[in-house]
Amino acid sequence: MAQPHCVVYHGHTPLQTDPDPAAALAQARSVGGMVWVDLSQPTREQVHELAAVFGLEPLGVASALRTHQRSKLDRYGEHLFVVVQPAQYDDAAETVECHEVDLFVGEDFFIAISPDGAIDWEKLRALLEELPDVLDRGPYGVLWGTFEYVTRGYRDVLDGIEHDIDEIEEQLFGDDEDVSYRIFALQREVIDLGHATAPLPDMLLRLQRLVENRLHIDDAPAFREVADRARYVDARVTSFRGTLDSALTVHSSLVEQRRNEAMQRMTETSLEQNDQVKKISSWAAIGFAPTLVAGIYGMNFRFMPELEWPWGYPFAIGLMAAVSAGLYVVFKKNDWL
């Protein structure tokens, strides 16, 4: 079970901090600074203990205890509750893994709760400590740093998805019909990513206005810049969904076209076979007529018609030729030959 990690800042200077959240909060208030608390993989009891120390609203705490939430921004009393979803892309499996991070932001505290340790808070602290102007803004500066960190992280995810979409477009015109499963699976991952990114522009616009009111400034360019990036990310995710929808439609059309072409080839082959069968059957019938006459007169009975007639043999031969010629004319007229 991980324990909360606390750092007290006086302006942009980190102080030697008591590991106990209550003591850290008291220290921060005594020097007019802020306390930054991060907690990974917490238990319900740990979350409730933090809520009691920092006076967090029960609705916000209940939201933090619910997992699998989309990105959102809520205001409870004097503090904010923010959910962000940093993402990672597994290129081999072509899956997007979104992680939930719950943030509580007050006038003198910043609390980050990560159910699965999605953000390296030590790395983020080190980055922000190189930006003293940001830490001088207090908890809202840390909040900006968190959004900056998360939205920049989407770049690798978007590039990975775009690379796989390019592969799919090349694969579309091949003979692999299983590409539809790849398109559909990637489409689901893009939809999940959209759940994380779509709310961000509105969230950051609201934060920009809130910061302007809280800090009594006319403009908050840092939040505006992150909001612009969030809009860019959301636009790319939306374009990916449109591209994958089109790819799925094109692939369905190509598969249907190939099947129609295969059916046409089968039909043409069947017609050719029918023509061959008709020709064979016609010649068999033509050959059967003289065979029938010859077979009858070859039965060697003594009393058969025209055996003693001098013209019997020529008549039989003529009959054979006449019947065969007649069948040939009939079959030829019906286009069997």
Side-chain angles (χ1 to χ4, degrees):
M1 181 177 65
Q3 296 298 319
H5 183 266
C6 305
V7 179
V8 172
Y9 285 90
H10 182 219
H12 56 266
T13 305
L15 305 179
Q16 187 69 30
T17 306
D18 193 302
D20 179 64
L25 178 61
Q27 179 185 2
R29 288 177 175 172
S30 67
V31 298
M34 72 164 180
V35 58
W36 180 345
V37 182
D38 60 80
L39 178 61
S40 297
Q41 299 177 332
T43 63
R44 297 179 65 90
E45 290 74 16
Q46 286 178 315
V47 174
H48 283 297
E49 288 174 4
L50 284 178
V53 169
F54 289 90
L56 304 180
E57 290 290 331
L59 287 177
V61 175
S63 297
L65 292 174
R66 289 197 304 268
T67 56
H68 307 295
Q69 298 186 88
R70 297 184 182 184
S71 300
K72 68 176 183 178
L73 168 64
D74 291 321
R75 185 171 180 177
Y76 296 110
E78 294 301 317
H79 69 260
L80 299 179
F81 174 68
V82 182
V83 178
V84 292
Q85 292 184 294
Q88 294 175 330
Y89 187 62
D90 186 339
D91 189 58
E94 295 186 359
T95 56
V96 177
E97 188 174 0
C98 294
H99 307 271
E100 178 184 333
V101 177
D102 302 319
L103 309 173
F104 292 92
V105 184
E107 291 297 330
D108 53 9
F109 63 84
F110 177 88
I111 301 173
I113 299 175
S114 177
D116 53 6
I119 293 182
D120 185 347
W121 296 108
E122 290 291 342
K123 179 179 179 181
L124 181 57
R125 262 193 292 270
L127 292 173
L128 291 181
E129 286 174 4
E130 296 177 0
L131 302 170
D133 291 343
V134 175
L135 286 177
D136 285 339
R137 301 283 183 173
Y140 291 99
V142 180
L143 182 60
W144 170 86
T146 304
F147 275 106
E148 178 78 6
Y149 184 91
V150 170
T151 55
R152 284 189 180 276
Y154 288 134
R155 181 183 302 167
D156 292 338
V157 177
L158 297 176
D159 290 344
I161 294 174
E162 187 172 40
H163 173 73
D164 288 329
I165 289 177
D166 290 340
E167 290 183 348
I168 287 173
E169 290 176 342
E170 294 176 0
Q171 192 179 358
L172 271 179
F173 298 96
D175 296 328
D176 185 8
E177 294 190 4
D178 290 338
V179 68
S180 60
Y181 297 104
R182 185 181 183 187
I183 297 171
F184 183 72
L186 189 57
Q187 193 175 44
R188 291 183 60 185
E189 299 301 319
V190 170
I191 290 173
D192 288 341
L193 180 61
H195 292 162
T197 60
L200 291 180
D202 179 65
M203 289 170 57
L204 287 161
L205 179 61
R206 292 168 59 197
L207 274 173
Q208 180 183 348
R209 293 171 179 169
L210 179 64
V211 169
E212 290 170 357
N213 292 332
R214 286 291 181 92
L215 302 182
H216 305 291
I217 58 178
D218 295 330
D219 193 13
F223 276 100
R224 187 176 66 248
E225 180 182 347
V226 179
D228 290 340
R229 186 184 305 120
R231 280 190 288 270
Y232 169 74
V233 169
D234 184 46
R236 283 190 70 183
V237 172
T238 302
S239 70
F240 288 161
R241 291 184 63 177
T243 300
L244 289 170
D245 285 340
S246 299
L248 197 58
T249 301
V250 169
H251 182 257
S252 299
S253 301
L254 290 173
V255 170
E256 186 65 25
Q257 180 181 349
R258 293 189 191 110
R259 290 177 178 173
N260 290 339
E261 290 173 352
M263 289 296 296
Q264 183 178 356
R265 288 193 296 270
M266 290 176 61
T267 302
E268 291 173 352
T269 301
S270 178
L271 291 174
E272 291 175 0
Q273 290 176 345
N274 287 340
D275 289 339
Q276 296 297 327
V277 169
K278 287 192 292 185
K279 290 179 181 180
I280 294 171
S281 300
S282 299
W283 286 114
I286 292 172
F288 177 72
T291 302
L292 177 62
V293 175
I296 291 174
Y297 277 91
M299 289 188 291
N300 296 322
F301 290 105
R302 291 184 59 189
F303 303 103
M304 293 184 69
E306 313 303 342
L307 287 179
E308 303 297 332
W309 185 38
W311 296 99
Y313 177 71
F315 174 77
I317 296 298
L319 179 61
M320 295 178 192
V323 172
S324 297
L327 289 173
Y328 178 83
V329 171
V330 171
F331 291 141
K332 191 70 174 177
K333 184 176 181 181
N334 290 308
D335 200 26
W336 281 40
L337 289 174

